[in-house]
């Protein structure tokens, strides 16, 4: 029964809310969604396969950012987002120079020669980088590249300086030439590996991965495929000579959906399978296989439209090829660059469409690709261990300048919060079904061009489970949120009452970019503004945690999932 006093109080409260809304203090309730509702069913008793932390790998061109202020801070944030080791890959660990970072270039000056041609090793800058990895608690993925100035061959058909500065092609210089002496190259690799073992310990370095060069099938390598085989053989033999338990591999080629790159990867595997090293005539070590997978965004009707099908096609073709080698199909596969497109250092000043990297489209794309890569691994029965995101941070650049990065001037971008979500999942992947999901074969053939992909990935572990949800579309355009029902089934008998924590990335949660824009996009934020950005930059809950009753192993949850929004529902008991 409603009393007069209660009615009057309700009327007063309603009037207060209306006034507050008129003043812009409280946003009005959203209109009912016009999108088709989605039902996602999760069966925690239907195990699909292990949840491997393929998310915990990151990389960047500018190795010298490692020891700079925001680089140091970000390394520690990456360490803290994952319960398992985070691996870091960087270019230019052997490149000559003064140790100052530039866009798409760095250096360590680890090698030079005296007047008689005798090698001189200087590990000062390299040690600073690896000491910072150690201090942050992350593991290096040691990429052997690029060619030191005094070791680079003089190519008669390529008269170029050693370093070429961005925005010109930074890989066109002699830093990407083959060595003038392959034995000296091998000696350099042995010396670097031995130094790392001496400084950090045999047991520690044995847990790292050593990759030979980067994308030798394109202009990163100024010679033939056969010369790359030779480069690899000398590097692999000398890594093993210095540390027999080292894990060495390659070839870090580009997109296998390109026939030239596919043939290059195949040629490498055929060479290694031949069993005769060009360095010592012995069997050729290969402890993992690496290649790259990239999407291909385009501009359609003035809007960026992602090309997720291209990244997934790369993975599909690469996995298929590796599965054809019984000797290698169970080796770890490291996709040592897995990204929406190719140029991390090309900001939105270079290409305005790259502003997508600041908002929620980037993490929504990545969530969709994350599940699809697991599905492709399962389809081809191969062993994927890494989906390495070629993204880090760019020091001393404008706020939200549109680089492919995880943070900007120490402020986490929404995509970093996706990786925080992935770090909260563990155990075993379980079966999910969505009536509004896009099938894997459609993702491969056309991407997400018709209806949105409203789908999920779920895991179960001891006394906990998690469901990752997303509402992704290739096109960066607005749409109403999708009413989403989550049917949880197969919960264990011990889970009679569970704690639900619902994390969200959207325009108003876990999103410092929208807060920054609302401030007027300041490039010199005040201390108060900076603290507000930091406060909004982390992973945020959508609602307060709630205890809920489970009946017969089942529980139903409901939410509104915005376009390009991502949720993580964490369940504990």
């Amino acid at each position: 029964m409603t009393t007069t006093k209660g009615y009057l109080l309700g009327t007063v409260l309603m009037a207060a809310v209306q006034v507050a809304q008129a003043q812009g203090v409280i946003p009005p309730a959203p209109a009912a969604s016009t999108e088709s509702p989605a039902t996602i069913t999760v069966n925690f008793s239907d195990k699909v396969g292990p949840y491997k932390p393929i998310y915990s790998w990151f990389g960047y061109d500018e190795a010298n950012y490692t020891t700079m202020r925001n680089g140091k801070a970000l390394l520690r944030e990456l360490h803290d987002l994952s319960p398992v080791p985070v691996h870091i890959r960087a270019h230019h660990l052997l490149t000559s120079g003064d140790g100052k970072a530039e866009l798409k270039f760095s250096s360590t000056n680890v090698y030079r020669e005296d007047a008689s041609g005798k090698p001189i090793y200087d590990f000062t800058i390299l040690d600073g980088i690896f000491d910072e990895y150690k201090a942050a608690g992350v593991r290096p993925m040691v990429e052997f590249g690029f060619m030191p100035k005094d070791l680079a061959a003089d190519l008669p058909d390529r008269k170029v300086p050693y370093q070429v500065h961005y925005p010109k092609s930074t890989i066109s210089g002699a830093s990407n030439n083959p060595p003038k002496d392959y034995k000296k190259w091998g000696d350099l690799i042995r010396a670097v590996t031995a130094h790392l073992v001496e400084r950090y310990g045999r047991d520690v370095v044995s847990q790292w991965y050593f990759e030979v060069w980067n994308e030798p099938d394109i202009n990163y390598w100024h010679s033939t495929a056969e010369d790359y085989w030779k480069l690899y053989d000398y590097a692999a033999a000398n890594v093993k000579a210095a540390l027999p338990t080292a894990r060495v591999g390659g070839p870090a080629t580009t997109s296998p959906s390109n026939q030239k790159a596919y043939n290059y990867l195949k040629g490498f595997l055929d060479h290694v399978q031949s069993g005769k090293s060009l360095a010592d005539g012995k069997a050729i070590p290969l402890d993992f296989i690496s290649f790259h997978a990239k999407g291909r965004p385009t501009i359609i009707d003035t809007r960026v439209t992602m090309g997720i099908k291209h990244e997934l096609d790369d993975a599909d073709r690469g996995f298929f090829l590796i599965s054809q080698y019984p000797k290698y199909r169970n080796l770890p596969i490291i996709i040592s660059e897995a990204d929406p497109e190719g140029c991390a250092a090309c900001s939105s000043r270079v290409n305005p469409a790259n502003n997508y990297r600041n908002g929620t489209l980037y993490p929504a794309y990545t969530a969709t690709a994350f599940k699809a890569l697991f599905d492709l691994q399962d389809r081809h029965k191969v062993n994927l261990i890494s989906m390495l995101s070629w993204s880090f941070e760019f020091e001393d650049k404008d706020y939200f300048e549109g680089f492919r990065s995880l943070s900007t001037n120490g402020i986490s971008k929404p995509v970093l919060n996706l990786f925080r979500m992935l770090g909260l999942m563990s155990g075993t992947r379980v079966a999910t079904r969505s009536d509004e999901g896009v099938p894997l074969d459609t993702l491969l053939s056309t991407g997400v061009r018709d209806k949105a992909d409203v789908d999920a990935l779920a895991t179960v572990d001891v006394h906990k489970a998690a469901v990752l949800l997303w509402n992704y579309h290739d096109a960066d355009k607005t749409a109403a949120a999708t009413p989403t029902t989550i049917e949880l089934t197969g919960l264990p008998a011990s889970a009679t009452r569970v704690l639900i924590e619902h994390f969200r990335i959207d325009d108003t949660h876990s999103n410092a970019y929208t807060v920054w824009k609302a401030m007027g996009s300041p490039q010199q934020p005040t201390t108060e503004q900076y603290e507000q950005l930091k406060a909004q930059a982390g992973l945020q809950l959508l609602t307060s945690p709630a205890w809920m009753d489970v009946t017969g192993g089942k529980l139903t949850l409901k939410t509104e999932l915005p376009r390009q929004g991502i949720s993580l529902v964490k369940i504990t008991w």
Side-chain angles (χ1 to χ4, degrees):
M1 180 177 179
T2 303
T3 65
T4 302
K5 181 178 179 181
Y7 174 79
L8 290 174
L9 180 59
T11 302
V12 170
L13 287 174
M14 184 177 295
V17 168
Q18 290 172 343
V19 170
Q21 288 176 345
Q23 294 174 341
V25 179
I26 300 175
S33 176
T34 57
E35 292 292 299
S36 299
T39 298
I40 294 173
T41 303
V42 180
N43 186 348
F44 290 110
S45 65
D46 187 356
K47 309 295 177 60
V48 174
Y51 178 75
K52 293 181 287 186
I54 65 172
Y55 64 85
S56 64
W57 302 67
F58 303 91
Y60 43 102
D61 290 76
E62 302 82 1
N64 298 121
Y65 284 161
T66 304
T67 56
M68 299 180 76
R69 183 186 65 175
N70 290 321
K72 290 181 177 183
L74 182 54
L75 285 175
R76 284 155 177 78
E77 288 190 71
L78 296 179
H79 168 271
D80 293 347
L81 68 77
S82 172
V84 299
V86 167
H87 300 261
I88 304 294
R89 175 183 186 254
H91 290 340
H92 295 291
L93 295 180
L94 304 180
T95 306
S96 300
D98 59 7
K100 295 179 181 178
E102 300 180 27
L103 286 180
K104 297 182 74 65
F105 194 89
S106 274
S107 57
T108 65
N109 219 40
V110 73
Y111 179 96
R112 60 189 176 89
E113 295 180 358
D114 65 16
S116 67
K118 181 180 178 182
I120 300 171
Y121 300 108
D122 183 349
F123 297 107
T124 304
I125 297 174
L126 190 70
D127 285 349
I129 293 169
F130 280 74
D131 285 354
E132 197 55 50
Y133 291 151
K134 178 181 178 181
V138 298
R139 289 183 184 175
M141 179 181 179
V142 184
E143 179 203 304
F144 288 129
F146 296 110
M147 198 58 61
K149 185 175 183 179
D150 289 353
L151 190 53
D154 183 15
L155 302 179
D157 61 339
R158 188 184 283 264
K159 298 299 182 182
V160 293
Y162 179 73
Q163 180 184 356
V164 177
H165 299 271
Y166 183 82
K168 293 182 179 179
S169 174
T170 57
I171 60 175
S172 62
S175 58
N176 292 83
N177 284 3
K180 64 184 180 183
D181 184 322
Y182 280 87
K183 183 181 183 306
K184 284 186 175 181
W185 162 257
D187 291 343
L188 167 62
I189 300 306
R190 185 186 298 212
V192 169
T193 306
H195 175 78
L196 295 173
V197 169
E198 180 182 9
R199 189 171 183 85
Y200 303 105
R202 182 173 298 272
D203 292 343
V204 170
V205 180
S206 292
Q207 298 173 29
W208 301 353
Y209 292 86
F210 291 83
E211 186 181 44
V212 182
W213 214 255
N214 177 71
E215 298 184 344
D217 56 308
I218 60 173
N219 205 34
Y220 272 98
W221 175 244
H222 299 164
S223 195
T224 64
E226 290 72 22
D227 279 347
Y228 174 74
W229 312 159
K230 190 174 181 180
L231 184 89
Y232 178 88
D233 290 357
Y234 272 84
N238 281 279
V239 168
K240 294 288 190 178
L243 181 62
T245 55
R247 296 182 283 198
V248 62
T253 42
T254 60
S255 305
S257 61
N258 176 284
Q259 194 60 44
K260 178 176 176 284
Y262 181 94
N263 292 340
Y264 203 106
L265 178 56
K266 183 178 186 302
F268 172 77
L269 295 175
D270 289 341
H271 166 69
V272 175
Q273 189 170 242
S274 74
K276 188 174 182 180
S277 170
L278 297 172
D280 55 18
K282 298 178 182 178
I284 304 168
L286 183 65
D287 299 302
F288 66 89
I289 301 166
S290 63
F291 64 85
H292 296 169
K294 301 282 186 175
R296 197 180 306 164
T298 56
I299 302 296
I300 299 177
D301 296 330
T302 73
R303 296 179 182 273
V304 64
T305 299
M306 307 303 285
I308 197 169
K309 73 171 291 294
H310 299 287
E311 180 177 342
L312 300 181
D313 195 28
D314 285 341
D316 186 45
R317 293 280 287 160
F319 293 169
F320 169 78
L321 175 60
I322 293 166
S323 74
Q324 302 307 296
Y325 291 80
K327 185 177 180 179
Y328 302 135
R329 69 177 303 154
N330 293 321
L331 283 182
I333 296 173
I334 296 176
I335 303 181
S336 53
E337 293 182 25
D339 303 290
E341 25 66 32
C343 182
C346 300
S347 74
S348 54
R349 290 183 176 180
V350 176
N351 180 1
N354 284 342
N355 257 334
Y356 86 84
R357 298 156 163 182
N358 292 325
T360 58
L361 177 57
Y362 186 7
Y365 171 105
T366 305
T368 305
F370 185 70
K371 179 184 182 181
L373 289 173
F374 273 121
D375 290 344
L376 288 170
Q377 171 209 245
D378 295 346
R379 173 177 289 185
H380 292 289
K381 297 181 173 59
V382 293
N383 179 24
L384 178 67
I385 68 166
S386 164
M387 178 195 76
L388 188 147
S389 176
W390 197 250
S391 56
F392 189 56
E393 65 98 17
F394 289 84
E395 204 82 18
D396 299 324
K397 301 298 180 185
D398 282 351
Y399 284 80
F400 298 100
E401 193 173 333
F403 292 104
R404 193 172 69 237
S405 58
L406 303 170
S407 69
T408 174
N409 290 293
I411 304 296
S412 297
K413 295 166 73 171
V415 69
L416 183 54
N417 287 318
L418 170 67
F419 289 107
R420 291 185 172 117
M421 284 181 170
L422 301 180
L424 294 174
M425 305 178 77
S426 63
T428 303
R429 288 177 291 126
V430 298
T432 61
R433 186 178 70 255
S434 171
D435 59 7
E436 290 294 316
V438 176
L440 179 61
D441 287 332
T442 303
L443 291 174
L444 286 168
S445 62
T446 61
V448 186
R449 299 302 175 97
D450 187 10
K451 68 173 187 177
D453 181 41
V454 182
D455 207 349
L457 174 72
T459 60
V460 66
D461 208 340
V462 179
H463 299 302
K464 60 183 178 180
V467 184
L468 183 75
L469 311 150
W470 57 87
N471 180 350
Y472 170 73
H473 197 284
D474 277 344
D476 186 19
K477 58 184 179 182
T478 58
T482 298
T484 305
T485 299
I486 311 159
E487 300 282 359
L488 306 180
T489 67
L491 285 162
S494 60
T496 57
R497 188 165 169 79
V498 298
L499 176 64
I500 301 294
E501 296 169 280
H502 188 163
F503 299 90
R504 169 65 63 81
I505 301 169
D506 60 23
D507 284 345
T508 58
H509 298 86
S510 313
N511 192 335
Y513 179 53
T514 52
V515 176
W516 177 76
K517 289 196 296 182
M519 291 176 175
S521 306
Q523 285 303 333
Q524 294 182 321
T526 65
T527 300
E528 182 180 1
Q529 286 175 323
Y530 189 85
E531 290 306 316
Q532 289 174 357
L533 291 172
K534 291 286 286 186
Q536 295 297 315
L539 181 60
Q540 297 177 328
L541 286 164
L542 176 66
T543 57
S544 296
W547 287 94
M548 303 187 74
D549 294 323
V550 176
T551 303
K554 297 180 180 180
L555 178 64
T556 299
L557 306 173
K558 293 182 180 293
T559 190
E560 296 269 326
L561 194 55
R563 179 63 56 87
Q564 316 300 10
I566 309 103
S567 280
L568 179 76
V569 177
K570 187 179 176 185
I571 308 142
T572 53
W573 60 89

